[in-house]
Amino acid sequence: MNDGSSLARKILGAIKIAVGEAPAALHEPYFIGNEWLYLKECLDSSFVSSVGKFVDLFESDLEKFTGAKYAVAVVNGTAALHIALKVAGVKAGDEVLVPALTFVATANAVSYCNAIQHFVDSESITLGIDAYKLRDYLNSHTEQKSKCCINKTSGRVVRAIVPMHVFGHPVDMDGLMRISHDFNIALVEDAAESLGSYYYGKHTGTLGLMGTLSFNGNKTITTGGGGAILTNDYELAKFAKHLTTTAKVPHAWEYRHDEIGYNYRLPNLNAALGCAQLEQIDKILIAKRDLFYRYQRAFSGLEGLQILSEPKGCKSNFWLQTLRIDPDKVGYQNEILEITNEAGFMTRPAWALMSELNQFKGCPRMDLSTARLLSSQLINIPSSPILATR
């Protein structure tokens, strides 16, 4: 047995110690509350589409849970980010600072605004944007003109920055908010993976101009498909709601639309599921934290890797439990993935860097050496909250 196979077998053994011998998916939804009851209420009332009490209730519940003043429910997290960027002022031809290490939706939303992705590096603790490295880069590559940040090479406005809280772990928001202020760049948080995560006591998605959430089937809570925009600014929330509901001018019967809008409305059925899930989120988060502690104990004696913990001053939702392989063992990543998946325990690597995808290869970028290393080190392991009950 070679070293890679040996390490893979040890990892598989540790996973089994933590979650048992039965096969395990990467992340499954966890239904333990009023999901059936609320869905039946929608069916009985016939309000299954974008009109119904659960949409308003879900937005209100999100506001209470996250501490955001306003929440706008939409059809998915990518739509939320698209509209948040548009409302933040991103225009065609602008540049948006995006982590190279992220899910493709973060980069896609920039394209929906006809803007250009400008890829930036990550740091190794949070896996999110490296604020210190980015500040040095912006100091040397941009200039200020008319209160706008201008890329000295392309001449384009750098309009926004989108930090993404990778696998639910909060990024260095203090450093990034200072960059936002000092360089006149709007900050829109991609908190798709971090519902239930806190940065020094504040919920992720509430620290920037706006934040966005996802409720896909594999997220901490799910609406089947769905997302939300969070903000503390009434006018931004009002504009976001208007755009996501086809820009229809309110009227008792007339259909008038005052600009190009989007049919990004969340159906009542999905919102009902979300309301039931939010009622159980404290139990879900406790289970996911307990699962982290199980993995931490199971992997404590293994050399050559570590289980990713929450950054200092932060409280993570531990959306996806994550192993980080030592740099001298990154060549074993594929073998680890093959052996664990063949055994019925779903694992996956981090995403390919956005800068390496064909559609984004021509985009501007800074040095991405840390993000490149991280993408070869990271492996997600089974993370469903139900695993903590085995």
Side-chain angles (χ1 to χ4, degrees), residues 32-47:
I32 54 174
N34 289 315
E35 289 87 356
W36 282 106
L37 179 66
Y38 292 169
L39 288 173
K40 185 177 185 303
E41 183 176 336
C42 289
L43 297 175
D44 290 343
S45 70
S46 81
F47 285 102

Side-chain angles (χ1 to χ4, degrees), residues 239-253:
F239 188 30
K241 189 72 169 180
H242 185 59
L243 287 180
T244 58
T245 53
T246 70
K248 183 181 181 295
V249 179
H251 193 277
W253 58 82

